[in-house]
Every structure is written in C-alpha cells, then in structure tokens.
C-alpha cells in the first residue's frame, strides 16, 4: 500500500524570496523529529510537504503523532498515492477507505486538481468517483451537504492522492527560522506556555532555571526538568541551564529593603540569563510575565527588570489572563505538572508588602552597594547544564 503523509504548510507559504529558507528549516526539523520512527523521504512542492516511508518497518502511528507537534505544519493527512486516472482513484479509494465507507452514515467526494493537464475537472472527477463508490457501497448513502465522511481526491504533479479526514497541525513557523532565545523557566504555569508560544513563532530556545537549595528542593528542580521534557515535542531538544541562586538570594535578604526584594532578585535573574544568551549567541530573553498578574508584573516593575539587560525581552503571555494561560497549559500537557506543590526560588523570602510601582532609579540606587557583576559571574560559572532530548509525543 502506497501510504504517505501530506503536510499542508502554514503561513510560510506567504513568504517571498526567503520562503526556501523556511522550507529547508522545516525539512531539517522533520528529519530530526521522525528519525526514531524509521526512514522517510521528504520534499516540498506546491505548498505541500510530502513525507514518504521508505520501508515496511516505519512506525506510521508514531510518525503521525509526532508530525502534529511540528511547528510550521498547518495540517497532517495520511493518504494513499495512486496513478492519475479516474479508475485508479476509484481503486485507491476502495482499497484505502473501504472500512471507513462501510461504517460511515453517509459520504461525499471532494476533488482538488492542481495539475491542470488532468483531463477531467474537479467536479467531473468527484462525480465519477462518487458514483462508483455509491455502487460499491450501496449501504452508505451520498450526502453532499452534511456527510459523515468526506473522501478527498487530489491531482498533483507527480501522482494522485486519496484520503479522508486529517488533523490540524501545530501551525506557526519552523523552530529555528526566527533565531534563538533564552527563556526563564520556573516551575509555574506561565513560563512553559511562554516557551511554547515563542517556539511556535520559530524561535529555538535554551532555558534557564534558578535553583536555591536548600530553600528549594531537588524535587522542585526535577519538576522543572519534567516541564522542559513535556514541551520538547514542540520546541525540539532543550538545554536547561540550572543556576545556583542561593548566595544571591541570601545577600538580597540581608541587604535589600524588603519591599524591593522581588524586583531586585528578578534583575539578577535577567543579568545571568543575558550572560547565558551571550554565551550561546542568542538574540533575546523570554519570560512568562503577564501584566498585572502579581506585584512584580506591573508595568513599572517590568520596566525595572528589563532595565538590567540590553537584550530585547519577549513576554508572549503578557496580554493573556490566567484562564487563557491555563487553557494553553492543558492543551500542551504541562498544567498538571506545573501545579505540583514544589516551590521555586521566586517564592523564597517573599516580601510582605512588595513595591508594586518601583522606579528604575530606586533599584539602581539600591544596587549601588552590590557587587552584582561579581555575583552574577560566580553563579554563571557554576551553572549545571542538562540536555533534554525530544520526548515521544505519545507519552
């Protein structure tokens, strides 16, 4: 059986002279993602990416599920290829979709003719194949308005294709097509969603996590690594840079006025994340901040944290409310892990009355007595790096 996958491409088809670069990035991502499932031939033509298994040993079920998580793909279809004759379309439909046609309550046929040299129009092909299928499966009536099953026929350059259904892909742009960034990954709900959303815009990510042992437990660190693993079907392989943050937090507890503690702490986080970004040649930082959600996420507080770095800071969930963020977290499978009761360093030494509208000048004055460059470099040199491989999306 000549089964293959047809991937309908998303917004990259609107690109101009650089479209080939996006398609090449997608093909590279697909090869890496499908490597565990066997040998596949892949190529793009007329806004379609063709993924053809090269032998009987390919795991088509696993590949199908993996393809639905690859950014840049608008929809995924399992199809049967055939010769470009009306009779071959009928044979392919009977062979490939007989079980579906027998169990469906009704059906219709829709055709798309990209190869204009094909002698029949789309309507003529649909009528011919639909009539033959109605004779072969008389127990399944034709319903052109509200069918239970739609048989799709496509006449393309190299072959004809028959399929039913298909599923939505992940959309967005291929990971790696929009550069590289460093995301601050906590154990909460918001930051994994922020990572997912930036990867969807084509950004390749490294993650930074701040670990304050013994104030935060090893279970809390394991939780963050699990969150990173859960998003790898979308982001691809991740490197998590685990920063020892205890010394800095203890210094801030001793020297920083309590209302400013959280903002000062976040400024240190941003500085260290920027050092990581410089090391890996990333062009931006990513946070899971949502405007007004907590005291450290007011407009003024965000200005204070961003003032500590020179790189642009992307906040993809900044305009989302909590329900929207939770909905996305459930969709990508991170929510249940995010709510496990292991605290991260952001909850250590939380001020009783945090300053919600700080000024940049106030933070700079407070920091004048700190050796923040030395403290950041010391933490940076002690970073533990954990590489998270791509997780089977079916797990």
């Amino acid at each position: 059986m000549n089964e293959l996958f047809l991937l309908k491409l998303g917004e990259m088809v609107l690109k101009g002279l650089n479209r080939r670069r996006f398609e090449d990035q997608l093909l590279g991502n697909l090869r890496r993602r499908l490597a565990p499932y066997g040998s596949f031939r892949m190529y793009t033509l007329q806004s379609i990416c063709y993924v053809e298994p090269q032998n009987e040993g390919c795991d088509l079920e696993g590949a199908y599920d993996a393809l639905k998580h690859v950014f840049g793909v608008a929809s995924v279809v399992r199809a049967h290829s055939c010769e470009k004759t009306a009779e071959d379309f009928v044979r392919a439909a009977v062979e490939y979709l007989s079980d579906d046609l027998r169990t469906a309550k009704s059906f219709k046929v829709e055709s798309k003719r990209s190869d204009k040299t094909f002698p029949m129009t789309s309507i003529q092909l649909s009528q011919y194949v639909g009539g033959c299928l109605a004779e072969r499966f008389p127990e399944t009536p034709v319903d052109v308005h509200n069918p239970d099953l739609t048989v799709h026929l496509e006449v393309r350059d190299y072959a004809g294709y028959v399929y039913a259904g298909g599923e939505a892909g992940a959309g967005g742009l291929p990971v790696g097509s929009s550069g590289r960034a460093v995301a601050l990954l906590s154990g909460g709900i918001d930051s994994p969603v922020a990572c997912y959303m930036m990867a969807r815009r084509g950004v390749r990510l490294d993650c930074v996590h701040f670990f304050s042992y013994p104030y935060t437990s090893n279970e809390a660190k394991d939780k963050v690594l699990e969150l990173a693993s859960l998003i790898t079907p979308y982001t691809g392989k991740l490197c998590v840079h685990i920063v020892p943050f205890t010394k800095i937090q203890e210094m801030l507890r001793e020297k920083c006025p309590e209302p400013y503690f959280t903002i000062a702490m976040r400024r240190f986080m941003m500085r260290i994340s920027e050092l990581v970004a410089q090391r890996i040649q990333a062009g931006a930082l990513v946070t899971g901040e949502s405007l007004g959600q907590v005291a450290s996420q007011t407009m003024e507080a965000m200005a204070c944290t961003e003032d500590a770095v020179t790189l642009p800071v992307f906040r993809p969930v900044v305009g989302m409310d909590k329900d929207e963020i939770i909905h996305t977290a459930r969709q990508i499978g991170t929510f249940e892990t995010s709510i496990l009761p292991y605290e991260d360093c952001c909850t250590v030494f939380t001020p009783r009355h945090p300053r919600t509208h700080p000024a940049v000048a106030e933070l700079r004055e407070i920091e004048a007595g700190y050796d923040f460059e030395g403290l950041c470099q010391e933490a940076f040199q002690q970073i533990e790096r954990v590489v998270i491989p791509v997780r089977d999306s079916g797990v």
Side-chain angles (χ1 to χ4, degrees):
M1 182 175 290
N2 302 318
E3 190 169 21
L4 75 163
F5 301 104
L6 303 180
L7 312 183
K8 308 296 178 73
L9 305 186
E11 63 185 277
M12 77 174 75
V13 302
L14 303 176
K15 302 298 180 183
L17 296 177
N18 63 344
R19 174 173 164 179
R20 185 74 247 175
R21 179 176 68 85
F22 286 86
E23 291 179 346
D24 289 344
Q25 183 69 61
L26 175 62
L27 289 172
N29 293 349
L30 289 170
R31 290 187 186 99
R32 286 188 291 273
R33 194 62 59 86
L34 294 186
Y37 305 104
S39 176
F40 294 85
R41 176 176 178 245
M42 306 171 199
Y43 56 95
T44 59
L45 187 67
Q46 292 185 330
S47 303
I48 298 289
C49 180
Y50 297 81
V51 180
E52 301 173 352
Q54 295 299 286
N55 54 60
E56 295 294 329
C58 291
D59 177 4
L60 298 187
E61 294 295 336
Y64 184 54
D65 193 64
L67 289 170
K68 291 182 288 185
H69 293 80
V70 177
F71 288 128
V73 176
S75 65
V76 184
V77 169
R78 291 179 71 162
H80 185 290
S81 64
C82 64
E83 296 296 324
K84 292 189 292 183
T85 70
E87 294 76 18
D88 279 297
F89 274 111
V90 173
R91 279 192 289 269
V94 171
E95 179 182 356
Y96 191 54
L97 300 176
S98 59
D99 289 343
D100 297 296
L101 285 162
R102 287 193 181 94
T103 57
K105 296 178 181 177
S106 59
F107 82 97
K108 76 171 182 177
V109 177
E110 287 189 355
S111 301
K112 181 177 180 180
R113 187 177 60 120
S114 299
D115 178 6
K116 301 305 181 184
T117 66
F118 188 74
M120 303 172 72
T121 66
S122 297
I123 294 176
Q124 289 171 337
L125 179 61
S126 295
Q127 290 174 338
Y128 177 81
V129 175
C132 294
L133 294 179
E135 292 179 4
R136 179 65 71 92
F137 302 96
E139 71 280 6
T140 307
V142 174
D143 183 349
V144 297
H145 299 294
N146 188 30
D148 186 38
L149 175 72
T150 299
V151 176
H152 294 273
L153 313 178
E154 294 201 18
V155 187
R156 294 193 165 269
D157 282 359
Y158 296 144
Y161 302 94
V162 177
Y163 61 90
E167 293 193 47
L173 296 172
V175 170
S177 63
S178 298
R180 192 173 186 180
V182 169
L184 282 70
L185 182 63
S186 72
I189 299 171
D190 303 344
S191 57
V193 172
C195 290
Y196 163 82
M197 293 180 69
M198 290 310 302
R200 195 170 190 268
R201 298 312 305 154
V203 177
R204 190 173 301 282
L205 296 172
D206 276 50
C207 295
V208 174
H209 176 67
F210 295 88
F211 183 54
S212 294
Y213 187 82
Y215 303 107
T216 55
S217 64
N218 284 316
E219 288 82 1
K221 181 171 72 172
D222 291 341
K223 170 185 171 181
V224 169
L225 296 178
E226 173 66 9
L227 286 171
S229 178
L230 287 168
I231 59 175
T232 56
Y234 298 100
T235 64
K237 180 177 69 176
L238 285 174
C239 179
V240 181
H241 305 252
I242 301 173
V243 181
F245 205 53
T246 306
K247 185 174 181 178
I248 291 174
Q249 286 199 296
E250 289 179 338
M251 181 278 295
L252 289 173
R253 180 179 61 173
E254 179 183 343
K255 294 185 177 181
C256 180
E258 184 183 1
Y260 295 90
F261 177 88
T262 301
I263 301 300
M265 177 187 69
R266 290 192 64 81
R267 283 170 67 89
F268 271 94
M269 290 179 171
M270 299 296 277
R271 291 187 180 104
I272 296 170
S273 298
E274 185 169 59
L275 291 175
V276 174
Q278 291 168 350
R279 182 173 191 167
I280 66 172
Q281 298 183 316
L285 304 179
V286 178
T287 76
E289 293 167 294
S290 174
L291 186 62
Q293 187 177 120
V294 295
S296 63
Q297 295 178 14
T298 63
M299 192 177 296
E300 296 86 349
M302 290 184 189
C304 287
T305 57
E306 192 162 345
D307 172 71
V309 295
T310 59
L311 286 177
V313 180
F314 296 148
R315 300 177 173 94
V317 303
V318 69
M320 298 172 68
D321 64 31
K322 200 66 178 182
D323 286 342
E324 292 171 315
I325 296 172
I326 289 173
H327 174 78
T328 305
R330 291 186 186 278
Q331 174 188 331
I332 64 176
T334 58
F335 178 74
E336 295 300 331
T337 300
S338 290
I339 62 174
L340 292 175
Y342 303 120
E343 295 183 337
D344 61 41
C345 69
C346 292
T347 61
V348 176
F349 312 138
T350 303
R352 292 166 293 180
H353 304 289
R355 182 67 179 268
T356 56
H357 302 287
V360 170
E362 294 174 327
L363 270 298
R364 290 180 177 176
E365 182 178 352
I366 290 169
E367 291 179 344
Y370 304 162
D371 177 21
F372 59 79
E373 290 188 7
L375 288 165
C376 289
Q377 282 292 340
E378 182 180 349
F380 177 69
Q381 295 302 325
Q382 298 177 32
I383 284 177
E384 174 192 1
R385 293 170 182 83
V386 181
V387 176
I388 309 294
V390 176
R391 184 172 184 152
D392 187 334
S393 51
V395 174

